Each structure stands twice: as C-alpha cells, then as structure tokens.
Amino acid sequence: MNLTDWTITEKEFKKENTELNGSRYIIGNGYMGYRGTFEEFGKQELVALNMAGLFDRNGDSWRESVNAPNPLYTKVFAGDSEVSLLECAPSEHERSLDIRHGLHLRKTVFKIDGTLITITANRFLSIENEHIIGLDYTVSADKPVNIIVKTGIDGDVWDINGPHFVIKDKKSEEQINSLSCETIENNIKLVVYEFIDTNSGQYDNSEKVKLLNVFNTVVTPEKPFHFKKLAGVYWGDEVQNSEEMFKESIKCGYDKILRKHNAAWKNIWDKSDVVIDGDEEAQRALRYSLYQLISVAPRGNGKCGIPARGLSGQVYKGASFWDTEMFMQPFFSFTDPQVSRKLADYRINTIAGAKRKAREYGFDGAFYAWESQETGDDACTLFNITDVFTKRPIRTYFRDKQIHVSADMVYGLWEYCNISDQYQILADGGLDLIYQCVRFFYSYAYTKLNKRSYEFLDVVGPDEYHERVNNNAYTNKMIERSAEILLSALTKVKLNYPKYYKEFTEKNDIEWIEDFKNNLYVTSPDENGIIEQFDGYMGLEDISLEDIKKRVIDPNEYWGCGQGIATTTRILKQADVIMMLNVFRKKYSKKILEANWNFYEPYTEHGSSLSACAYAIVAANIGNTEWAYKYFMRTATVDLTGNSRQYLGTLYIGGTHPAANGGSWNTAIFGFAGVSYDDDIIDISPHLPENWKSMSFKLAWKGTELSVHINGNDVKIKAIGVKKNINITVYGKKYDLG
C-alpha cells in the first residue's frame, strides 16, 4: 500500500485483504456508504451500500442497518472468459482512494487468450447531492475483441442478519431502470435508480434479484467501450417524489454533478484540514482520519447519528454510541457547527426512546440507549457476547449499567452550544434533554440517611472489563458536569428565551438541582495524586499485562463479563480515569495528570480503539510528547493498518472506526496544539512532537473563524469574520481579538 498526503494506493490485488480493503477504501456522504469493493464483486466479497438511519429486523435476529441493492454491479466477458479479479490474476492492478475529493479509482489489466483487456472505473458518492452515486467505467483492449458487459442493480446483497428487504418491482423506462423494495419489519420503501448515458445496450429482466443492462460490442485499441452511470437511492418519505428528483439529477448531468461534488469537498477541507510540516506519515494518517469523519457526517435532517462503525456495514447493528459525543462531535463543533447541530438534533429527536428506557428500569427522566437506532430505543441485547469455550451467550451489563451515556449526551450538546455560541437549540428541545438526563441521575442516585452525598452504585464505566462497580470516577464526574450544565442552561434560557423558560419551569420542578450538584460524590486524588477508578479498585489483583496474557487460552476470548481473566485484576480495557482527565484536563494540575498517567498506563490493555487517543492527549498535556506521538499514530492509523480487534468473543466487530478518527483530530488539536477552552476563553499552549516543524489549522469559535499557525514556540492567530470580542490566551498570556 502506497500513500501520499491525499491518496492511498494498492498496486497488487490480494484476495485475502478483501474484507480489510472494503473498509479501508470506503466512500461515503453521510447518507450512505459504499465499501471499497470492485464492480464485479458480490455479497460473498462483502459488497455493501449501507444506509444511514434505515434499520430492519428479520425474525429473531438483531435489528441492524440496511444494505441497499447495489447499483454499480458490473461484469465483463470476453468469449467464454469472465474478465474479473474473481476469476483470473491480473497482469497489472492499481486502485486508489483520493481523499481530497472522495473518489475511488481503479485500473486493472487482464490477459485473456493473448489479449490485454483493461478496465478502468472511477466512482463517487455525491457529498453535494446525498442521493446520487456516479460511476465512470471503461473497457479497452490492445487488439479487437468482442466483449459483453452486464451492468445494473444487484438486489442479492450481503447481510449479517438479513435479508432486510423484499423486491417489489423492477422497471425500465426511458433509459431509467429502477428496483423498488420494502423492508421486512416495517415495510419501509426503498428505491434504487440507474441511468446510463449510452444508447447501445438492452435491458435484461431475466434474473429475479438483478436488473441488468447488456452491451454486446467489439472493443478496438482506437474505440474502447465507455459508459457513465448515475444512480439514485431514496427511502422512506423521499420515495414518493424520488423519480422526479432523480430525473432532475440526470438533467444536471454526470460531469456537473462531479464538479459540484469536488467543490463541496474543497469547501469542507478548507475548514477542517490540519497541515503538518515535517512528518509525512502523520500528515496522511491524520488526513485519512478526517476523511473518514467527513464521509459519515449527517448533513440531512438530523434523523440519524453516526454509527460506531461508520457506514462500513452492519457491525454493532449500525447503532450510534456515546462515541459520537465524546470523540467525534468536538471535530464538527469546531469545524462544521451545522453538522454538530444535526448530531445534537438526533439525540433530541430520540429522547422518547430514552424516556421509555428510564421507565423500563424504574427511573425518571431519560436514560439514553447504549446502542441507539432510529427511535432511540436501546438495540443492545442482554447477551452481547458468546463464550468462545462453551459457545453459550454471556450476560453483559452494557445496556443496563452504562449510565454515563446520558451524561455524554448532555456534554456533547452543551459543547456545541458553547463552541458555536448558538443557544437556540435549548429552546428547540435541548434544555429538556439536559433536564431529563440529570433527572434520571437524580432518580438513580443512592444516598444514606447519615450521608449527604449522592453516590452512583452498580454501574459500568467505559472500562467494560469491570462491570457493576460503585462510584466509577468518569461516571460520577460526568454526572457532576451534567448538573452544572443544567444550571447554566437554565440561566441562558431565562435570559434569552424568557417565555420558554416560564413554560418550562411551570412544567418541571427545578428546586432539587442545586442541592444535587453540590452534594454529588466525586472521587478525589489520594496522597499520591492517584484517583481510584472505582471503589475497591486498589484492592484488586496487581498483575502485569505480560503476566495476564499468559492466562489467555483463546485469542478471541473476552476479558470481562464477570468470569473473564481481567475482571478481578487491575487490568483495564481502557482507563476511565485517563478519559476523565482528558475531558477535564483544565480542572486538574499537571502533577495530578502525570501521576495518574504513569499509574494507569501499565495496566491498560487498550482493548478499545477509543483508549489510545485519551492517553495521547493527556501525555501531550504533561509534556510527554514521545508517548503522545506513539498513541496518536496508533489512533490515526487504525483504519489504514487494520490493526484493531476484529472479534469480541465470537462476534465480528470489524469495519471503520470513526471514534478513533475523531480521537486523532482531538489529539492533534487538544494535545499537540494544546487547545483548551471554557465558556469564554480559548487557550493555546502547544507542545508539538519533535519532528513537527509547524502545524496549521482552523477553528470555528463563537461564530469567528480562527486560523492558527504554530511554528516552534511561535503562535500566529488570524481571526476572520469576527462577530464579537474573542478572548484568547497563548502560553497563559491574554489577548483580545475584536
């Protein structure tokens, strides 16, 4: 695999890398994602056009996101031979992903009966018109040869727990082919269209699940066979007017749609790129991470979040986790506030599901789903993992006890408000979300008559190797922050939206909030500055990672779930304390940060792709840039290298890692650039890696674009479109940009 700052390339085809490369070379536009497979591939090669926000359940299987029919399916035949990577080894092969423009490009040369036949194909998912897919396909040869090309819509798709739709209709009218489907569970309509700008083909409706155009022609060195295809994908209410919408796209034309797509990518990169001078490997890894984030960003109507595995398939049921708010949303809040608002809207729109979950467990307020789909009801099952030894499902408590997820929702929404200086969302349901989440914690809290503190017992923190613990440090601190945010949000609404404030406070009791905030139990550092991860953690078996690995019997065995090898030890999947210090790094001294980093790092197995970036950010902030860089590169390259956990017990969990991609940006900005902030002031105190000559980036802060350039200890900041006085400190010295 070759890489440049803007392109990743493979120059040989290895069938064993099909699954990995499907994720590595993915393209997406937030509405859908198309895996990095080849046009002649089918469901056995895990071809997937994964739809954001569309879910289905077939029988007793898990609900998961829906893979739509594949409109790019294309087969080439020369005589009795199929010209395909599945049938013969290529003479030459090169495939690349242009991350600057979101383009997948391929050139493959085959030698068939002495004739060199070349296939080139370029494709994109329009980021300007989210329904549209483009394919530019050419077959050429070094001597005259008769070929047959079959291209169309393949309805026989890859599913983990499917199938998820029934084909209802196939049509071919005025060069427009369409395949209409309905989902199994809720009969949601989905339609896929295609249009090919050539007049030399014929329509073939002979196969039940494929709708094909057939071209029979002679290819010469002077006259290759070439077509451009536009496809359109629509589901739900959009199906009603989809034919008219697709015809308008056809009128626009392939080339114009591609130009608009490229221009839209340029506008996004102008706001979000981070330029590193002196480290090509870090530069391309970071840009690739940002490409993955941009590709999954919802730009529609806020009806879906970002799935834990992006749009690379149905892993983790296509659901959204706390990852979004804590690892991805900071990037969008600082570079594209409109997308950040969409993410917050998704949580507001699904609060009914969170309220249902709270009532299910006997609590008030809103208990947000661990695995959230389109309604906000929890898709997480009680038995998530299968024991590799007994083959029996194991009871887990991810769904029941990871209460921190509601605090993460509050945090993400408030960070959007604070960074963008936009608070209208509070009157559009945001205040109710914050209130209902804190109300849930108030009803969950445990108190004794002889104690005035509110404690949180029987919980699971992000470190899932230890379930049902008491007073998890990260959880309690995030709950305290949620209560603080609720008080701030009420003040903001009272000042700016007095009518709404009056209506809200007449309907909701707010007298308890101050007491709840002031008496929350939050773990304090001990005499050595160490914050205990949860009550009793220090009493667990003190064992090294090296020694605990000697207890592993099966490489896919799960280390938690009560009987796992880490459960009764200090070994962590990810360190909750380090995650807490990452979020609240301005609240703790450098001495506390350093003491806890040094204590927890040797115990951390990094069984989650979310772990390394938290360690990287804290390491950078204590001046340990060597370790920060190691963990940064581990995070930024996770989807390039494929070096991540592929199985949880027997459960396949492969795919892309958008939270780790967000963690890469967080590390670069909050770690190496040293950006931190509170309600009014943004601070920049850089500590770049030794080999980074300079670093440049932009931040959207309070409606103003800040262009930042760091060169050694020299920091230059340019404010563009200043709407209010901006308070900035650089290495502790205050500046006002007005």
Side-chain angles (χ1 to χ4, degrees):
M1 181 176 62
N2 296 327
L3 303 107
T4 68
D5 286 355
W6 293 101
T7 307
I8 66 170
T9 303
E10 66 171 9
K11 295 201 173 183
E12 60 178 329
F13 173 69
K14 293 183 178 180
K15 191 173 183 178
E16 62 269 24
N17 289 339
T18 296
E19 187 277 327
L20 171 61
N21 284 335
S23 299
R24 181 186 283 159
Y25 289 92
I26 193 170
I27 55 176
N29 62 8
Y31 183 79
M32 52 190 167
Y34 194 99
R35 286 177 61 81
T37 51
F38 296 104
E39 291 73 26
E40 61 265 37
F41 283 7
K43 67 179 183 181
Q44 293 79 12
E45 292 74 42
L46 312 185
V47 175
L49 177 60
N50 192 246
M51 307 304 300
L54 179 59
F55 298 91
D56 181 73
R57 182 176 186 176
N58 188 339
D60 295 330
S61 300
W62 287 342
R63 295 186 88 243
E64 61 190 7
S65 55
V66 173
N67 287 330
N70 170 25
L72 303 187
Y73 177 84
T74 305
K75 293 264 191 180
V76 178
F77 301 86
D80 295 330
S81 300
E82 181 179 329
V83 187
S84 166
L85 286 167
L86 298 175
E87 299 297 327
C88 54
S91 300
E92 299 175 30
H93 174 75
E94 182 171 317
R95 178 254 291 274
S96 60
L97 180 67
D98 175 357
I99 63 174
R100 188 195 292 263
H101 303 106
L103 302 175
H104 181 282
L105 307 101
R106 172 256 186 112
K107 178 181 179 181
T108 312
V109 181
F110 300 92
K111 192 169 187 178
I112 307 292
D113 296 330
T115 302
L116 293 177
I117 299 175
T118 301
I119 294 175
T120 60
N122 304 335
R123 65 174 179 250
F124 67 97
L125 269 60
S126 173
I127 207 164
E128 189 271 336
N129 182 342
E130 62 183 9
H131 298 283
I132 299 301
I133 308 172
L135 173 66
D136 188 331
Y137 195 94
T138 301
V139 184
S140 60
D142 67 340
K143 62 181 71 172
V145 61
N146 189 82
I147 64 166
I148 296 174
V149 178
K150 297 181 179 181
T151 184
I153 307 171
D154 184 4
D156 188 16
V157 305
W158 168 50
D159 283 307
I160 295 178
N161 288 301
H164 289 300
F165 57 76
V166 175
I167 296 173
K168 306 296 286 188
D169 193 21
K170 294 189 289 184
K171 291 182 181 179
S172 181
E173 300 174 354
E174 300 177 358
Q175 292 184 272
I176 298 176
N177 298 325
S178 64
L179 191 151
S180 300
C181 316
E182 283 186 6
T183 59
I184 303 292
E185 181 185 21
N186 295 317
N187 305 117
I188 297 173
K189 290 180 171 58
L190 182 148
V191 61
V192 179
Y193 298 93
E194 69 164 356
F195 171 81
I196 300 176
D197 63 348
T198 180
N199 297 318
S200 59
Q202 65 186 58
Y203 164 62
D204 178 5
N205 194 23
S206 60
E207 298 190 50
K208 289 184 178 180
V209 293
K210 290 185 177 66
L211 193 157
L212 300 174
N213 304 275
V214 180
F215 303 91
N216 191 332
T217 186
V218 175
V219 176
T220 69
E222 297 78 22
K223 188 179 179 183
F225 173 74
H226 173 241
F227 68 84
K228 291 181 178 178
K229 176 188 290 193
L230 289 176
V233 185
Y234 309 82
W235 65 271
D237 295 339
E238 298 163 334
V239 169
Q240 185 174 356
N241 299 315
S242 59
E243 186 172 352
E244 292 78 8
M245 294 167 65
F246 185 62
K247 286 181 178 179
E248 286 300 313
S249 296
I250 293 172
K251 290 178 183 178
C252 187
Y254 183 99
D255 293 340
K256 188 173 182 180
I257 290 173
L258 178 58
R259 286 196 299 272
K260 288 184 175 182
H261 166 81
N262 290 338
W265 269 100
K266 182 181 183 303
N267 290 337
I268 294 170
W269 278 116
D270 283 347
K271 296 183 292 183
S272 58
D273 191 20
V274 178
V275 180
I276 300 167
D277 183 16
D279 190 341
E280 293 181 5
E281 186 178 5
Q283 176 69 88
R284 59 186 172 239
L286 180 55
R287 278 188 175 144
Y288 180 77
S289 293
L290 301 189
Y291 162 80
Q292 290 284 5
L293 278 175
I294 294 165
S295 297
V296 297
R299 293 180 171 81
N301 57 12
K303 64 183 178 182
C304 65
I306 298 177
R309 286 293 181 262
L311 296 173
S312 63
Q314 298 160 323
V315 171
Y316 284 137
K317 311 180 185 78
S320 298
F321 287 65
W322 70 297
D323 309 8
T324 301
E325 282 69 24
M326 302 310 298
F327 294 87
M328 302 179 233
Q329 197 165 2
F331 166 74
F332 295 112
S333 292
F334 271 114
T335 64
D336 198 336
Q338 289 183 332
V339 169
S340 188
R341 168 74 196 244
K342 300 288 186 188
L343 295 173
D345 283 340
Y346 165 68
R347 299 300 189 178
I348 292 171
N349 295 338
T350 55
I351 194 171
K355 290 180 178 179
R356 284 191 289 269
K357 182 179 175 182
R359 290 197 299 272
E360 175 189 347
Y361 286 101
F363 300 111
D364 300 330
F367 183 6
Y368 269 85
W370 186 241
E371 299 179 0
S372 180
Q373 295 179 340
E374 78 276 35
T375 64
D377 293 283
D378 208 326
C380 185
T381 63
L382 300 180
F383 294 85
N384 269 288
I385 297 168
T386 300
D387 182 62
V388 297
F389 305 111
T390 66
K391 309 304 179 187
R392 292 176 177 174
I394 305 173
R395 175 69 158 100
T396 60
Y397 291 88
F398 307 154
R399 184 189 200 275
D400 318 58
K401 305 297 181 181
Q402 297 228 37
I403 66 171
H404 68 82
V405 66
S406 284
D408 303 327
M409 302 303 102
V410 173
Y411 180 84
L413 189 150
W414 187 250
E415 291 297 281
Y416 155 72
C417 292
N418 186 32
I419 293 166
S420 67
D421 205 35
Q422 297 293 318
Y423 295 93
Q424 175 62 44
I425 193 172
L426 295 176
D428 296 336
L431 178 61
D432 186 55
L433 181 152
I434 296 169
Y435 177 86
Q436 297 298 340
C437 287
V438 179
R439 186 73 190 182
F440 162 68
F441 293 127
Y442 185 60
S443 69
Y444 194 100
Y446 175 83
T447 60
K448 286 184 177 180
L449 292 177
N450 63 339
K451 297 175 72 175
R452 283 295 300 128
S453 64
Y454 295 94
E455 300 184 40
F456 298 89
L457 311 184
D458 196 14
V459 303
V460 181
D463 166 34
E464 294 165 341
Y465 287 170
H466 299 89
E467 298 186 346
R468 309 194 73 169
V469 302
N470 297 334
N471 292 319
N472 173 264
Y474 173 82
T475 301
N476 287 27
K477 188 68 176 177
M478 287 296 291
I479 293 172
E480 180 189 52
R481 179 59 181 150
S482 296
E484 293 172 352
I485 288 171
L486 175 55
L487 291 170
S488 297
L490 285 166
T491 300
K492 184 69 70 172
V493 170
K494 184 177 183 180
L495 180 65
N496 294 284
Y497 310 100
K499 182 180 178 182
Y500 178 72
Y501 177 83
K502 183 174 184 294
E503 294 171 355
F504 186 88
T505 52
E506 286 175 352
K507 188 168 56 175
N508 297 288
D509 175 22
I510 64 172
E511 297 301 320
W512 53 273
I513 303 171
E514 193 82 42
D515 173 72
F516 181 59
K517 180 191 78 73
N518 291 339
N519 293 290
L520 270 163
Y521 175 76
V522 176
T523 308
S524 300
D526 65 13
E527 64 275 10
N528 297 314
I530 306 300
I531 299 169
E532 188 174 32
Q533 176 152 302
F534 53 82
D535 291 353
Y537 172 81
M538 294 302 183
L540 298 177
E541 181 185 0
D542 189 356
I543 187 173
S544 69
L545 271 172
E546 181 182 358
D547 286 338
I548 201 172
K549 287 178 181 178
K550 296 175 184 177
R551 300 178 182 178
V552 173
I553 299 173
D554 187 296
N556 291 329
E557 68 179 271
Y558 186 60
W559 289 20
C561 287
Q563 71 270 42
I565 60 174
T567 303
T568 58
T569 76
R570 292 184 182 181
I571 299 301
L572 310 168
K573 183 179 182 181
Q574 58 197 82
D576 297 352
V577 171
I578 301 304
M579 181 63 196
M580 183 194 75
L581 295 176
N582 164 35
V583 176
F584 299 102
R585 57 193 176 277
K586 286 195 74 174
K587 305 292 185 182
Y588 293 92
S589 68
K590 181 180 177 181
K591 183 179 179 181
I592 296 296
L593 297 179
E594 190 169 15
N596 284 275
W597 196 98
N598 290 333
F599 177 79
Y600 283 107
E601 196 277 336
Y603 292 118
T604 306
E605 189 250 345
H606 300 294
S608 167
S609 61
L610 311 179
S611 181
C613 64
Y615 271 96
I617 294 169
V618 175
N621 278 273
I622 61 177
N624 191 344
T625 54
E626 181 179 356
W627 269 101
Y629 183 80
K630 290 178 181 178
Y631 278 127
F632 165 73
M633 291 301 294
R634 180 171 177 169
T635 301
T637 61
V638 63
D639 288 328
L640 288 171
T641 63
N643 293 332
S644 63
R645 181 161 287 170
Q646 299 297 304
Y647 284 89
L648 190 65
T650 61
L651 178 66
Y652 173 66
I653 56 170
T656 57
H657 297 77
N661 303 143
S664 304
W665 184 88
N666 295 343
T667 302
I669 303 303
F670 304 144
F672 298 134
V675 173
S676 58
Y677 53 95
D678 55 26
D679 289 347
D680 299 309
I681 298 176
I682 188 166
D683 179 73
I684 301 177
S685 298
H687 7 69
L688 300 187
E690 186 176 351
N691 56 331
W692 289 19
K693 297 177 182 177
S694 67
M695 177 182 179
S696 301
F697 54 91
K698 292 179 180 177
L699 298 175
W701 174 253
K702 307 289 188 185
T704 297
E705 181 182 279
L706 301 179
S707 179
V708 182
H709 179 75
I710 302 167
N711 186 351
N713 292 324
D714 184 27
V715 180
K716 295 181 180 179
I717 303 171
K718 181 179 181 181
I720 303 169
V722 179
K723 296 181 179 179
K724 59 185 292 186
N725 284 346
I726 302 297
N727 299 318
I728 297 179
T729 62
V730 180
Y731 293 116
K733 184 177 180 180
K734 186 177 178 180
Y735 300 88
D736 293 328
L737 303 180

